[in-house]
């Protein structure tokens, strides 16, 4: 009788754990967003970085103003950051990060000229975010966007570690 | 005579505290348990290789020249070996002839010379100057032409590809490996498979006094000609025979500094870059302690610019990465040694090269490239980029030579 009771107890515990795990993982994956978050100061950078699930790219000017990061974040994180005043533009829900590329074009060409690679969004002059259509179409550094357009491609699938330095530059003895 | 336990212990301690006779003192010395000059001859018999090391200043034959060698010389001297020629060899190697020889008398034990910071700084500057002077444009031309053609023999013939999965990549990998080995390096071929790529990186290491901490000088050696709709041939002279040749030439120049630099240097030629930074990503993933990598200088496309721009390479650093100290050091070398590369240290957001996997791991890494690529405002780019037209005779070898000079000086400046 005792053995049966223990067996039932163990089975129930396992079922509860499995249910909870499924629920939490489903909740996380379904609520992830891909967003472009604008920041202007070191404090804002840290807040946005810490407030994201993962940061995959950031673009920064020497003055730090109008810089942005491409982050994955949950709806709760999105709500929290926007309530703090951050401008966070949602690019996609439940993104497949292996489909995203940041493309640099030294030549002065419109982002639409890269549409052969996928869905494009201009990030800044010469920098475009491209979502490739399928994995088969996932174009890498040797992409052929056009005979006269040289493209330099960075795959943003892997997240960045939080940087060690707060400023654009660190003190150097060679300045 | 009966000796109590306490008397025995006291006697033993007093004996150990007393100065030891020569026969004891000369047998072993130092915490490294190296054999002294006398005992080495008596017990082991003098090895020719150790004698050679001593003639280069490495008295205790441990592969490095430092104050431990002086300690060994001093002990042997005090033990009765009055041959001072090894001291002179050590002194010259240690201080690069920058300080006067201390006066030594047989009746007085040698005193440890106190090297002032000034001679060492002069010595470092001397090394940088000599290193810069030793960079050879002809060697760079030879490397670019040799890896762009279809065999691993010297001379130019039919163009070939170094596309990551190709046989040409393997042929030129063997050529580069042999070049490194001829310079005296032990070479590691680091195979990897990622995505559709199965290829290998080439790693040559220059050990410094600290073998854990190191700087890395990198470039990718694989090619593509996707804009021409093919990957064979893909000679890749500028992209990236130029960076590859600069790494190899820097390795040749710096090979003479084995054991002299404070930190080590790795010369790494990646493959799989054109398909998505696969080789560098694999290398970075194998770094167990990122703090051991003091900095990475990655060169990609350093051999072209529009004629109006002249020789010009920029050292780009990523925001919040700290790599600006590497870029600033490079520009400082260019200016102070009048290399005339017209280099600048610039913030860049370009991650599309082999510095990116290091940046992702918070390792200081910079990206050196021709100004036409880095400065988008110029509005043009290497016309032969990723095409069958990227051939050796289209390159600006003066610019590659100056870049190699700059990185040689920078590595000595940083790693010394």
């Amino acid at each position: 009788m005792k053995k049966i009771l223990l067996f039932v107890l163990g089975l129930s515990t396992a079922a509860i754990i499995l249910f909870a795990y499924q629920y939490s993982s489903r909740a996380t994956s379904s609520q992830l967003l891909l967003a472009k978050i604008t920041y202007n100061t070191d404090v804002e950078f840290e807040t946005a970085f810490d407030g994201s699930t993962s940061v995959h790219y950031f673009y920064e000017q020497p003055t730090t103003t109008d810089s942005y990061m491409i982050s994955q974040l949950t709806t709760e994180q999105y709500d929290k950051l926007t309530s703090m005043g951050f401008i966070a533009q949602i690019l996609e829900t439940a993104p497949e990060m292996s489909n995203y590329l940041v493309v640099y074009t030294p030549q002065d060409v419109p982002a639409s000229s890269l549409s052969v690679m996928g869905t494009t969004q201009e990030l800044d002059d010469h920098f475009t975010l491209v979502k490739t259509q399928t994995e088969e179409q996932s174009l890498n550094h040797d992409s052929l966007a056009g005979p006269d357009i040289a493209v330099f491609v960075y795959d943003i699938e892997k997240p960045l570690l939080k940087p060690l330095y707060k400023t654009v530059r660190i003190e150097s003895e060679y300045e | 005579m009966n000796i109590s336990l306490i008397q025995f212990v006291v006697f033993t301690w007093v004996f150990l505290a007393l100065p030891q006779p020569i026969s004891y003192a000369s047998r072993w010395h130092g915490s490294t348990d190296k054999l002294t000059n006398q005992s080495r001859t008596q017990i082991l018999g003098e090895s020719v290789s150790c004698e050679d090391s001593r003639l280069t200043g490495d008295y205790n034959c441990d592969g490095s020249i430092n104050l431990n060698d002086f300690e060994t010389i001093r002990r042997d001297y005090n033990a009765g070996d009055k041959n001072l020629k090894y001291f002179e060899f050590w002194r010259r190697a240690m201080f690069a002839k920058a300080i006067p020889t201390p006066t030594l008398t047989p009746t007085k034990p040698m005193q440890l010379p106190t090297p002032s910071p000034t001679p060492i700084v002069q010595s470092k500057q001397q090394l940088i100057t000599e290193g810069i002077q030793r960079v050879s444009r002809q060697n760079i031309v030879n490397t670019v032409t040799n890896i762009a053609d279809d065999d691993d023999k010297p001379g130019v013939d039919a163009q070939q590809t170094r596309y990551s999965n190709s046989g040409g990549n393997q042929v030129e990998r063997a050529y580069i490996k042999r070049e490194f080995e001829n310079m005296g390096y032990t070479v590691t071929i680091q195979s990897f498979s990622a995505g559709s790529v199965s290829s290998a990186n080439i790693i040559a290491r220059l050990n410094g006094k600290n073998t854990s901490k190191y700087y890395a000088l990198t470039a990718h050696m694989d090619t593509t000609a996707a804009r021409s709709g093919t990957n064979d041939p893909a000679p890749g002279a500028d992209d990236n025979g130029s960076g590859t040749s600069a790494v190899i030439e820097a390795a040749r120049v710096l090979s003479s500094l084995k054991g002299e630099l404070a930190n080590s240097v790795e010369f790494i030629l990646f493959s799989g870059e054109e398909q998505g930074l696969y080789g560098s990503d694999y290398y970075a993933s194998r770094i167990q302690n990122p703090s051991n990598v003091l900095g990475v200088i990655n060169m990609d496309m350093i051999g072209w610019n529009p004629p109006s721009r002249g020789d010009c390479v920029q050292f780009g650093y990523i925001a919040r990465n700290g790599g600006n100290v590497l870029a600033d050091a490079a520009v400082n070398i260019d200016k102070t040694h009048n290399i005339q590369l017209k280099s600048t240290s610039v913030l860049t957001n370009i991650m599309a090269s082999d510095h990116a996997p290091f940046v992702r791991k918070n390792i200081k890494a910079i990206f050196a490239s021709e100004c036409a690529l880095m400065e988008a405002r110029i509005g043009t780019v290497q016309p032969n980029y990723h095409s069958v037209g990227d051939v050796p005779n289209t390159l600006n070898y003066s610019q590659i030579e100056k870049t190699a000079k700059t990185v040689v000086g920078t590595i000595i400046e940083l790693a010394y």
Side-chain angles (χ1 to χ4, degrees), chain A residues 104 158 162 166 169 174, chain B residues 281 317 320 328 362 373:
Chain A
Y104 167 66
K158 293 184 178 173
K162 186 177 179 183
K166 290 184 179 179
R169 298 175 66 82
Y174 301 108
Chain B
D281 198 42
Y317 59 89
R320 300 173 188 276
D328 294 349
N362 278 341
L373 189 156

Side-chain angles (χ1 to χ4, degrees), chain B residues 174-403:
Chain B
Y175 167 78
I176 292 168
K177 179 174 184 283
R178 197 164 60 243
E179 287 291 297
F180 278 138
E181 288 172 342
N182 289 341
M183 298 170 196
Y185 289 103
T186 301
V187 181
T188 302
I189 299 296
Q190 184 183 53
S191 300
F192 64 88
S193 292
S196 59
V197 175
S198 223
S199 194
N201 302 322
I202 310 162
I203 306 165
R205 176 174 254 265
L206 177 72
N207 277 333
K209 295 181 176 72
N210 184 334
T211 55
S212 300
K213 306 274 186 186
Y214 67 97
Y215 290 89
L217 193 57
T218 73
H220 74 89
M221 58 78 75
D222 63 302
T223 60
T224 182
R227 293 175 81 195
S228 300
T230 180
N231 279 312
D232 190 7
D238 189 25
D239 187 9
N240 184 28
S242 58
T244 299
S245 66
V247 169
I248 293 173
E249 181 60 5
R252 187 189 68 79
V253 170
L254 294 170
S255 64
S256 62
L257 298 182
K258 184 179 180 183
E260 289 197 42
L261 299 176
N263 297 296
S264 301
V265 183
E266 282 197 0
F267 306 94
I268 313 170
L269 294 167
F270 297 117
S271 190
E273 192 265 0
E274 302 290 7
Q275 289 73 40
L277 316 180
Y278 288 149
S280 53
D281 198 42
Y282 181 78
Y283 177 92
S285 73
R286 308 286 290 181
I287 297 171
Q288 294 188 345
N289 186 355
S291 67
N292 280 341
V293 189
L294 301 172
V296 178
I297 300 175
N298 177 51
M299 294 180 283
D300 193 354
M301 296 178 68
I302 57 170
W304 187 86
N305 268 315
S308 59
R309 199 67 180 84
D311 297 341
C312 177
V313 161
Q314 290 193 332
F315 294 88
Y317 59 89
I318 304 297
R320 300 173 188 276
N321 172 255
N324 67 284
V325 295
L326 309 175
D328 294 349
V331 171
N332 185 56
I333 289 290
D334 175 24
K335 287 179 180 169
T336 57
H337 291 269
N338 197 28
I339 295 172
Q340 299 185 337
L341 182 59
K342 289 187 283 185
S343 62
T344 44
S345 169
V346 296
L347 173 68
T348 183
N349 291 291
I350 303 171
M351 292 278 274
S353 190
D354 288 317
H355 58 296
F358 298 97
V359 171
R360 279 202 297 261
K361 291 179 77 83
N362 278 341
I363 293 168
K364 294 186 185 75
I366 61 171
F367 172 46
S369 193
E370 55 209 28
C371 291
L373 189 156
M374 299 285 276
E375 294 177 340
R377 62 183 171 78
I378 291 178
T380 186
V381 71
Q382 156 70 286
N384 302 309
Y385 169 70
H386 284 187
S387 80
V388 296
D390 188 6
V391 293
N393 64 9
T394 62
L395 299 195
N396 175 352
Y397 288 99
S398 166
Q399 180 172 293
I400 303 173
E401 177 192 8
K402 289 175 180 177
T403 309

Side-chain angles (χ1 to χ4, degrees), chain B residues 93-171:
Chain B
M94 182 76 180
F95 301 107
K97 306 175 190 176
I99 61 168
T101 308
T103 304
L104 300 169
T105 59
T107 56
K108 187 178 177 183
M110 285 192 286
Q111 299 298 311
L112 189 68
T114 308
S116 65
T118 308
I120 292 179
V121 170
Q122 286 172 343
S123 174
K124 176 178 171 179
Q125 291 307 315
Q126 189 180 10
L127 283 179
I128 292 173
T129 302
E130 289 174 359
I132 288 171
Q133 288 171 346
R134 291 183 59 211
V135 170
S136 159
R137 186 185 305 189
Q138 190 56 51
N139 286 344
I140 290 168
V141 173
N142 291 345
T143 299
V144 173
T145 51
N146 286 343
I147 64 176
D149 73 11
D150 70 346
D151 58 37
D152 63 349
K153 307 288 191 305
V156 186
D157 38 54
Q159 306 297 332
Q160 72 155 1
T161 183
R162 297 192 303 282
Y163 193 72
S164 294
N165 284 335
S166 69
N169 185 292
Q170 293 178 33
V171 167

Side-chain angles (χ1 to χ4, degrees), chain A residues 116-161:
Chain A
V116 66
M117 300 173 71
T119 308
T120 62
Q121 173 166 1
E122 184 174 312
L123 297 173
D124 200 347
D125 291 345
H126 307 284
F127 286 86
T128 305
L129 183 68
V130 176
K131 183 193 174 191
T132 56
Q133 303 301 327
T134 66
E135 284 191 19
E136 288 70 31
Q137 270 188 295
S138 179
L139 301 170
N140 290 309
H141 191 187
D142 55 355
S143 303
L144 182 63
D148 298 321
I149 302 173
V151 296
F152 296 83
V153 176
Y154 175 59
D155 168 356
I156 63 171
E157 180 179 5
K158 293 184 178 173
L160 300 163
L161 289 180

